[in-house]
Amino acid sequence: TMVVVIFLYIGLASVGLSVVSPHDLGTKYLDNAIGGIAMNFPIGGQILGPWVGVTAAIILMICANAGLIGCSRLIFSLGSNYQVPQVFARLHSRFRTPYIALAIFSLIAIGIVIWSKNQMLVLADLYNFGAQIAFFFAHLSLLTLRIRRPALERPFKAPLNIPLGKGKSIPLTAVFGMLASFAVWCLVIITKPDGRIAGFSWMILGVIIYAFYRKKSRMRIAGSLKVEAIRVPEHKPFELKHILVLARLKAGTEALQTAFQLAKHHHAKITVAYILEIPESVSLDAQIQEQEHMGEIALKKAEAIGREYHCQLELELIRSRSIDQALLQLVKGHNFDLAVITTTKNDFNKPSGMIARLERFLAQAPCKVIFCKT
């Protein structure tokens, strides 16, 4: 890779300066240097010019995409290590990507392009400010590792290492790279006001966010934090598409709120059912107006709460001989992922009553079940 990169950079500069003068590259073709070189080829220049422009546009799009991916993964890493708020470490439930970090940095990139007013030199100054800092600290980190952890396994070492004794050595390439990067960074600060102002403003903003988050999380600002990764093999993403919740007139709203919050978080559909238990002595089709009215009130209450959470609701008033059989038929017939059941303190006072029937449902239910005691 080193050989190819050196060859390409030297070759590009040699070819470019062979067909276009440095003055023309710095003035006439300042915004389109590669296209200007291609158009000045003695043979085929008029054909190569447009193709180079199209290729450059594609490469720039790929580079912009790679830059946004890199920024989002970097801020995700910082969030995972408690350097910035945890919201940046949040992953998309389906694609498993740091979607919030991606969205924020995309908006920042758009804002920077608009602020630069299409001036490439402004964007180059901003890039040089950040890139030279990154290169400087990359070289400095390499030198630090060589001193602090000399016995670390290193499959590859750059040539020209300076021995320091006791098995320690530092690469001369890293020393030159660190000094050169720092020199270019100082040059940007001294001669480029846009890069200097925007760069330092960005750094100050980062320090403020870091300090505020650490203080809010009750962590030392200057202290190091060890993050331990724990593997939980049985843990799997919890996805819900359809939730069943049992509505009851004389019970609290905790079960409904729990179901609606889960449905909103998982973008799941929710069915609220009120089960009207009909005794054996009465026909299932018998008119029981008072009980039906109570069921309608319970469903209307559930609908009102559901609208507060903007959930997609289905309301069902079901007649059945037993509540456990009705619930079983529902979860088996509609492929529910979760059933949320309401219980009250009075249900536990009668061992042969509601709790006994719900236990039978729990033993046979094919989906997950949550009980909410009110």
Side-chain angles (χ1 to χ4, degrees):
T1 302
M2 290 190 297
V3 173
V4 171
V5 170
I6 292 173
F7 173 78
L8 288 177
Y9 271 81
I10 295 177
L12 180 62
S14 302
V15 172
L17 295 176
S18 298
V19 296
V20 182
S21 66
H23 180 267
D24 288 343
L25 277 178
T27 54
K28 185 178 179 181
Y29 300 112
L30 179 62
D31 294 331
N32 187 19
I34 305 299
I37 293 172
M39 286 187 292
N40 281 276
F41 275 7
I43 300 175
Q46 297 301 318
I47 298 175
L48 286 175
W51 279 108
V52 168
V54 173
T55 305
I58 295 173
I59 292 174
L60 287 174
M61 183 176 65
I62 294 172
C63 290
N65 182 62
L68 290 175
I69 290 175
C71 289
S72 63
R73 269 59 175 183
L74 176 61
I75 201 74
F76 166 77
S77 178
L78 292 174
S80 301
N81 288 276
Y82 301 94
Q83 306 293 319
V84 296
Q86 291 290 293
V87 66
F88 291 105
R90 190 176 299 172
L91 297 177
H92 193 275
S93 58
R94 178 183 176 186
F95 300 109
R96 312 303 296 168
T97 54
Y99 66 104
I100 294 179
L102 270 171
I104 291 175
F105 275 97
S106 298
L107 293 175
I108 292 174
I110 292 172
I112 290 175
V113 171
I114 295 174
W115 172 72
S116 69
K117 297 179 181 180
N118 200 30
Q119 297 180 18
M120 294 298 296
L121 289 179
V122 174
L123 296 177
D125 294 343
L126 297 181
Y127 171 81
N128 285 328
F129 183 96
Q132 299 309 319
I133 290 179
F135 297 154
F136 170 78
F137 279 108
H139 289 111
L140 182 61
S141 300
L142 175 60
L143 296 174
T144 304
L145 274 177
R146 286 290 188 93
I147 295 172
R148 290 187 177 181
R149 301 183 65 181
L152 187 69
E153 182 182 358
R154 293 177 171 87
F156 171 79
K157 280 187 178 181
L160 303 177
N161 289 267
I162 304 173
L164 297 180
K166 296 183 180 180
K168 297 180 180 179
S169 64
I170 58 174
L172 192 60
T173 52
V175 175
F176 284 141
M178 181 184 67
L179 295 176
S181 301
F182 184 73
V184 175
W185 184 68
C186 292
L187 190 63
V188 172
I189 293 175
I190 296 170
T191 62
K192 307 296 182 181
D194 293 323
R196 178 173 64 247
I197 295 171
F200 280 118
S201 299
W202 180 255
M203 292 177 68
I204 292 170
L205 177 62
V207 171
I208 292 173
I209 292 175
Y210 169 80
F212 176 77
Y213 172 68
R214 283 278 183 143
K215 185 176 180 180
K216 185 179 179 181
S217 302
R218 298 180 180 180
M219 292 183 288
R220 291 185 301 167
I221 293 179
S224 60
L225 188 69
K226 182 179 180 181
V227 180
E228 182 179 359
I230 301 175
R231 294 183 61 85
V232 185
E234 64 274 12
H235 174 73
K236 296 180 181 178
F238 191 60
E239 295 184 3
L240 300 175
K241 296 181 180 179
H242 200 175
I243 301 173
L244 170 67
V245 58
L246 178 64
R248 298 179 66 185
L249 184 62
K250 297 182 180 180
T253 61
E254 288 87 350
L256 294 170
Q257 290 176 309
T258 299
F260 294 144
Q261 288 175 359
L262 288 170
K264 184 177 181 180
H265 178 74
H266 291 272
H267 306 286
K269 186 171 69 172
I270 191 164
T271 296
V272 181
Y274 183 90
I275 299 175
L276 191 61
E277 287 191 287
I278 310 296
E280 295 288 346
S281 58
V282 180
S283 171
L284 278 175
D285 299 330
Q287 294 293 326
I288 311 177
Q289 293 183 355
E290 184 178 354
Q291 288 84 346
E292 289 178 357
H293 181 64
M294 292 173 60
E296 290 174 358
I297 292 175
L299 291 176
K300 286 181 179 179
K301 182 177 72 173
E303 184 180 14
I305 298 173
R307 289 186 181 277
E308 293 293 324
Y309 290 90
H310 307 286
C311 292
Q312 182 183 353
L313 288 179
E314 286 186 4
L315 305 176
E316 292 194 21
L317 181 63
I318 301 172
R319 292 168 169 262
S320 178
R321 296 296 184 189
S322 64
I323 191 170
D324 55 318
Q325 291 301 319
L327 288 172
L328 278 174
Q329 290 178 3
L330 271 174
V331 296
K332 290 180 179 179
H334 294 79
N335 294 323
F336 287 101
D337 302 301
L338 176 69
V340 182
I341 308 298
T342 306
T343 58
T344 64
K345 292 181 179 179
N346 294 331
D347 294 334
F348 294 86
N349 297 330
K350 300 177 181 179
S352 60
M354 175 66 77
I355 291 299
R357 298 198 295 276
L358 291 177
E359 284 180 349
R360 291 196 296 268
F361 164 70
L362 180 62
Q364 302 178 53
C367 64
K368 296 178 178 66
V369 180
I370 294 178
F371 283 94
C372 292
K373 178 184 174 183
T374 60

